[in-house]
Amino acid sequence: MTDAAIAVAGLRKSFGNKTVLDGIDLDVRAGTVFSLLGPNGAGKTTTVNVLTTLVKADGGTARVAGHDVAADAKAVRAAIGVTGQFAAVDELLTGRENLQLMVDLSPLPAKGGKRIVAGLLERFELAESADKPASTYSGGMRRKLDLAMTLVGDPQIIFLDEPTTGLDPRSRRTMWSIVRELVAGGVTVFLTTQYLEEADQLADRVAVLDQGRLVAQGTPDELKRQIPGTHVRLRFTAAAELDAAARLFPDASRDDEALTLNVPGDGGTSSLRALLDRLDEHSLSAEGLSVHTPDLDDVFLALTGRTTEAVK
Ligand SMILES: Nc1ncnc2c1ncn2[C@@H]1O[C@H](COP(=O)(O)OP(=O)(O)O)[C@@H](O)[C@H]1O
Ligand SMILES: [Mg+2]
């Protein structure tokens, strides 16, 4: 057995005459986080569905935990856990009952189930609400419960399809720390996301999916090197001011039409203060200022020349 938890070659899938996956190749090393990054409609869920045996591919091969997804779907299912884009939680049941149901459905010995459930509730900070119906849970709590349900069978490989889309920043961070814990425990995580920051935070390797093809693959740092970094955008009212400011910041890039200057920097308060002082010293003032952190849109524009809007 190699240490590839997931190995995909030439994967293709169409729905009717619409090609959704147009020859995907990727490998995920065991014990790492792989993030599939792409806008709405790029084919992320379809990829997850094929790899988790929910959907049959039209061509190519995919091996998960050493088993072929088409020929040996049962063995694949036994090795994986899946948390879908839309939570599989039963609203009418309490958090504890949802988890217990997973224990009952799993091939685990029934003994010890209660302890597993209690442990997961504790770990996911759900113990206090464990006996309330899931319908009363916030979006973040529901996602956590969903992920906890995934972990009942102790899967080696976990698929998380947009686990934090629509979550508030705090719940997002909780999810991130759970993913990190899982990986520290040797689990392999295949994660889809629309957030560059999320891929950057969690993934060992990232692939960018665009119209059924992977247009880039590498470490988050390799990816970010291909796109413009964090910068401060200054907007001026006159071309002469833009000229003068551009002379002060030789690293900056300018847009003569919009009268803006993009100054590379971390966007932190002290570098902002230094930037404003610099303008002040030269009696220059900007009409507007914004801090711009690179996101999926920047990745797309840099890699494909299109914005993410064009993909929808
Ligand atoms: N069962 C299906 N039948 C027809 N079209 C589908 C089906 N599933 C997905 N699609 C289409 O495939 C494309 C990719 O969808 P999806 O994999 O859900 O993308 P993502 O998860 O990246 O948003 C979309 O255009 C979607 O409408
Ligand atoms: Mg999706």
Side-chain angles (χ1 to χ4, degrees):
M1 170 134 172
T2 66
D3 68 347
I6 302 171
V8 173
L11 203 64
R12 309 181 60 82
K13 178 70 192 173
S14 302
F15 291 111
N17 57 6
K18 184 177 167 54
T19 303
V20 177
L21 301 179
D22 195 10
I24 301 274
D25 303 295
L26 59 87
D27 287 288
V28 182
R29 212 154 41 79
T32 66
V33 181
F34 182 91
S35 176
L36 190 61
L37 188 63
N40 253 326
K44 300 182 299 297
T45 297
T46 303
T47 306
V48 169
N49 285 348
V50 170
L51 296 181
T52 57
T53 77
L54 294 174
V55 162
K56 272 205 174 358
D58 301 331
T61 58
R63 296 181 78 78
V64 173
H67 308 288
D68 187 280
V69 293
D72 213 352
K74 219 171 152 194
V76 170
R77 280 187 215 142
I80 64 173
V82 188
T83 302
Q85 188 171 1
F86 304 102
V89 169
D90 187 330
E91 304 261 308
L92 297 177
L93 300 182
T94 67
R96 192 188 306 280
E97 288 164 347
N98 267 290
L99 281 165
Q100 187 60 49
L101 185 64
M102 294 309 287
V103 170
D104 296 341
L105 291 174
S106 79
L108 294 172
K111 241 178 55 188
K114 274 211 168 63
R115 201 161 31 85
I116 293 173
V117 168
L120 285 166
L121 287 167
E122 200 60 48
R123 178 167 171 200
F124 284 79
E125 299 167 349
L126 290 169
E128 253 174 57
S129 319
D131 298 308
K132 293 184 187 140
S135 57
T136 64
Y137 286 16
S138 68
M141 288 164 72
R142 234 171 271 203
R143 293 287 176 88
K144 285 196 283 187
L145 177 58
D146 202 18
L147 181 49
M149 287 161 67
T150 304
L151 298 185
V152 161
D154 238 343
Q156 315 155 41
I157 304 175
I158 293 174
F159 291 84
L160 301 174
D161 193 9
E162 297 198 34
T164 69
T165 296
L167 291 193
D168 60 89
R170 187 169 176 265
S171 307
R172 177 168 296 166
R173 286 190 183 275
T174 310
M175 283 299 249
W176 289 356
S177 62
I178 292 167
V179 170
R180 290 195 183 100
E181 267 177 42
L182 288 172
V183 174
V187 170
T188 308
V189 177
F190 186 100
L191 167 121
T192 76
T193 183
Q194 299 194 37
Y195 307 116
L196 177 63
E197 193 202 355
E198 181 156 285
D200 187 22
Q201 285 282 334
L202 295 178
D204 298 287
R205 289 185 68 77
V206 183
V208 181
L209 187 60
D210 174 37
Q211 297 187 333
R213 288 170 184 274
L214 296 183
V215 291
Q217 231 185 119
T219 66
D221 281 338
E222 284 165 353
L223 193 67
K224 283 193 297 177
R225 259 184 250 128
Q226 299 181 44
I227 60 172
T230 300
H231 58 262
V232 176
R233 183 172 297 165
L234 300 169
R235 198 174 64 253
F236 297 95
T237 49
E241 287 180 313
L242 174 60
D243 284 339
R247 280 194 293 274
L248 294 182
F249 304 103
D251 291 345
S253 61
R254 57 192 281 172
D255 180 335
D256 287 328
E257 218 163 289
L259 294 179
T260 57
L261 190 67
N262 290 336
V263 186
D266 59 11
T269 50
S270 52
S271 60
L272 272 178
R273 189 172 295 120
L275 186 148
L276 295 176
D277 287 346
R278 194 89 202 280
L279 289 173
D280 239 13
E281 282 163 23
H282 293 79
S283 309
L284 285 166
S285 63
E287 187 198 29
L289 173 153
S290 56
V291 176
H292 190 80
T293 320
D295 57 19
L296 182 61
D297 284 316
D298 299 295
V299 175
F300 251 73
L301 199 58
L303 293 174
T304 69
R306 286 180 289 106
T307 64
T308 53
E309 288 300 320
V311 186
K312 286 173 194 165

